[in-house]
Amino acid sequence: MISQFFVLSQRGDNIVFRDYRGEVPKGSAEIFFRKVKFWKDDGQEEAPPVFHVDGVNYFHVKVVGLLFVATTRVNVSPSLILELLQRIARVIKDYIGVLNEDSLRKNFVLVYELLDDVIDFGYVQTTSTEVLKSYVFNEPIAVDAARFQALGPAAMFMQGTKRMPGTAVTKSVVANEPGGRRREEIFVDIIEKISITFSSSGYILTSEIDGTIQMKSYLTGNPEIRLALNEDLSIGKDGRSVYDYRSSSGSGIVILDDCNFHESVHLDSFEMDRTLSLVPPDGEFPVMNYRMTQEFKPPFRINTLIEEVGSSKAEVILKIRAEFPSSITANTIAIQMPLPKYTTRANFELEPGVVGQTTDFKESNKRLEWGLQKIVGGSEHTLRAKLTFSQESHGNITKESGPVSMTFTIPMYNASRLQVKYLQIAKKSSTYNPYRWVRYVTQANSYVARI
């Protein structure tokens, strides 16, 4: 049970606000944003997804730069409310097509209609896009799809040198094509978030993949489809070592620790030939979620060297190498490295002729930041930073620095090697779009190198 739901922009503007029970003060949105913006408790840089202020519990998730927030005075399950906020964001995106501040403002009438059908007096009724179609009557207002590039990898669809239109998956599930024609398309994404920890010598200490097969359907008539995965896919380690390369290299076997499926998926033939059959509901939904701790080849290698060059100076050398093929390019790479607390200045030196790279020293929290617009597979990049300290160093600079953390997105690449072999639609139709529909995306969930 929740009392309020609201959506805030990055500036704190209240875009959507609905008070269901009148138990929480009207100024809760301002209180929440001020608390999140100036969060300093326990030395944390960001506010946790759940916190308590003056008898009110605040729950929030950030989706494409927007803050989706729920408040309540009662003790409810945090995971339940956080999942509800994610589902509300997904439902709104299904109906308005592009989820950003501009689209929310233009479609506020439709958004409020959705919220009234999803939640009644603070209690959840349904979060199914398909079920809600019977109760939603407002038409979505289209926005400029080019502006949704901020959504990141979901905005990309590459097939060799051919690019699908950027609007292909950014339209409402209830919107028709010009002339009243229905869209007959289905899109499949394999999105993986990887977590890796390297030792100071470069060896992998921990590695994990949290992946999902995401589907968005625009097919009319709800036809049955079959989705085929790797034939040599194995669920569970079956007694193998977590880091046993013999079970995964060469033979192409993909070993997942565990997985779960959407309620519409039928597993009648999954054990036999690794195919899933389902009747896809309208909108976007996860077909399969999976986790893998079998050691895999990391997409990047990070090497760090710290050398003292005087009593109050040191030099840091950061080197990154892309371990994936040269036909693939990583985007929006961000590297951070905490420095000793007595660091006062950092002078940076990049490779000659580089473009699309930025450096910064955050004096407030003594942190080095290095941003790269893109990295081509097989390439190597180096950053040198000359540090100046406010005092003579008497400790171990290496122990007082790091670890190095990295975030990135790699389109058309997946570390687990899980693949969709084919997709079959039971109902034949000449209007179905023949484009290749599978997209692979790898993102960094936690990519850390110790020094």
Side-chain angles (χ1 to χ4, degrees):
M1 180 184 71
I2 66 174
S3 297
Q4 296 172 334
F5 169 84
F6 50 89
V7 182
L8 303 182
S9 70
Q10 293 181 338
R11 303 180 304 277
D13 297 335
N14 208 332
I15 305 173
V16 175
F17 186 92
R18 179 63 87 200
D19 193 338
Y20 292 101
R21 304 180 65 85
E23 301 171 337
V24 177
K26 296 293 185 181
S28 58
E30 184 179 351
I31 296 172
F32 164 80
F33 187 74
R34 191 185 307 117
K35 191 70 175 177
V36 168
K37 186 175 181 180
F38 301 103
W39 188 271
K40 297 294 182 183
D41 294 357
D42 301 325
Q44 299 182 52
E45 296 181 11
E46 294 185 358
V50 181
F51 58 86
H52 183 86
V53 179
D54 297 332
V56 178
N57 298 315
Y58 291 86
F59 307 82
H60 77 280
V61 297
K62 183 178 287 187
V63 184
V64 294
L66 300 171
L67 290 167
F68 285 71
V69 190
T71 65
T72 182
R73 287 189 177 274
V74 300
N75 185 17
V76 296
S77 168
S79 58
L80 171 65
I81 305 302
L82 295 176
E83 175 67 19
L84 171 63
L85 293 175
Q86 293 281 6
R87 292 198 181 190
I88 290 176
R90 187 184 305 156
V91 166
I92 293 175
K93 181 175 179 287
D94 283 342
Y95 276 87
I96 68 177
V98 180
L99 185 58
N100 58 28
E101 183 177 346
D102 187 29
S103 62
L104 280 180
R105 292 188 185 280
K106 287 187 176 181
N107 290 278
F108 73 94
V109 175
L110 173 58
V111 172
Y112 277 111
E113 185 181 18
L114 286 169
L115 290 176
D116 290 341
D117 290 327
V118 170
I119 302 174
D120 182 22
F121 198 57
Y123 292 92
V124 182
Q125 304 303 303
T126 181
T127 58
S128 169
T129 299
E130 192 168 17
V131 172
L132 289 169
K133 288 177 71 175
S134 303
Y135 307 101
V136 175
F137 300 98
N138 282 284
E139 292 290 331
I141 299 173
V143 298
D144 184 6
R147 300 182 61 181
F148 100 110
Q149 296 297 333
L151 293 178
M156 301 177 187
F157 193 101
M158 296 295 294
Q159 180 187 349
T161 58
K162 180 186 294 184
R163 181 185 293 271
M164 282 286 290
T167 60
V169 290
T170 60
K171 289 187 178 180
S172 169
V173 294
V174 294
N176 293 331
E177 290 290 295
R181 294 178 291 107
R182 282 300 307 268
R183 305 178 65 196
E184 297 289 359
E185 299 170 330
I186 188 167
F187 298 90
V188 181
D189 296 328
I190 294 184
I191 302 174
E192 296 185 339
K193 295 186 177 181
I194 63 177
S195 301
I196 301 180
T197 303
F198 296 95
S199 67
S200 57
S201 56
Y203 290 102
I204 296 176
L205 298 177
T206 61
S207 60
E208 182 175 323
I209 297 176
D210 288 309
T212 180
I213 301 178
Q214 198 83 4
M215 184 175 290
K216 188 161 189 177
S217 174
Y218 294 99
L219 302 178
T220 58
N222 298 109
E224 181 180 357
I225 65 172
R226 292 176 62 85
L227 198 72
L229 306 178
N230 307 52
E231 293 181 358
D232 49 10
L233 175 64
S234 175
I235 310 297
K237 300 189 194 64
D238 298 325
R240 299 182 180 91
S241 169
V242 174
Y243 302 114
D244 184 6
Y245 270 115
R246 294 171 298 176
S247 63
S248 60
S249 60
S251 62
I253 297 177
V254 177
I255 303 175
L256 306 180
D257 288 55
D258 51 62
C259 61
N260 59 68
F261 303 91
H262 189 265
E263 58 188 12
S264 65
V265 175
H266 300 289
L267 303 173
D268 300 338
S269 60
F270 182 70
E271 290 295 331
M272 182 173 58
D273 57 8
R274 295 311 188 199
T275 59
L276 308 173
S277 60
L278 68 152
V279 176
D282 289 335
E284 189 173 352
F285 65 98
V287 176
M288 170 183 171
N289 298 309
Y290 58 91
R291 185 173 65 93
M292 173 180 170
T293 56
Q294 186 81 9
E295 188 172 318
F296 53 91
K297 183 178 180 180
F300 290 100
R301 289 283 181 181
I302 306 175
N303 293 318
T304 308
L305 178 64
I306 302 179
E307 294 180 339
E308 292 190 52
V309 293
S311 58
S312 60
K313 292 185 178 181
E315 185 177 35
V316 176
I317 302 176
L318 279 174
K319 186 176 292 186
I320 303 168
R321 177 169 178 79
E323 299 287 329
F324 45 88
S326 59
S327 58
I328 298 173
T329 301
N331 300 325
T332 58
I333 303 95
I335 300 156
Q336 298 181 351
M337 175 181 171
L339 301 174
K341 59 185 179 181
Y342 43 82
T343 305
T344 57
R345 190 168 65 251
N347 296 321
F348 300 100
E349 180 182 333
L350 294 170
E351 299 164 315
V354 296
V355 293
Q357 296 190 22
T358 60
T359 57
D360 194 11
F361 169 59
K362 299 293 185 181
E363 191 171 359
S364 59
N365 51 14
K366 308 299 182 184
R367 187 174 62 194
L368 176 155
E369 295 184 354
W370 182 18
L372 299 92
Q373 189 174 358
K374 64 179 181 179
I375 294 181
V376 179
S379 63
E380 190 173 275
H381 298 270
T382 304
L383 170 69
R384 295 176 180 270
K386 296 181 179 180
L387 310 180
T388 302
F389 304 135
S390 60
Q391 64 184 44
E392 292 187 5
S393 174
H394 298 291
N396 190 326
I397 297 178
T398 301
K399 290 184 178 180
E400 296 181 60
S401 305
V404 179
S405 60
M406 183 176 182
T407 60
F408 52 84
T409 297
I410 312 178
M412 303 314 296
Y413 174 86
N414 67 326
S416 69
R417 296 188 310 243
L418 181 69
Q419 294 181 351
V420 174
K421 294 296 185 180
Y422 64 84
L423 183 148
Q424 291 181 339
I425 304 176
K427 183 180 72 173
K428 302 298 181 182
S429 173
S430 59
T431 61
Y432 287 152
N433 196 311
Y435 283 108
R436 184 172 175 82
W437 29 258
V438 181
R439 303 179 293 186
Y440 298 89
V441 179
T442 294
Q443 298 175 326
N445 197 26
S446 175
Y447 209 83
V448 178
R450 296 180 180 175
I451 299 177

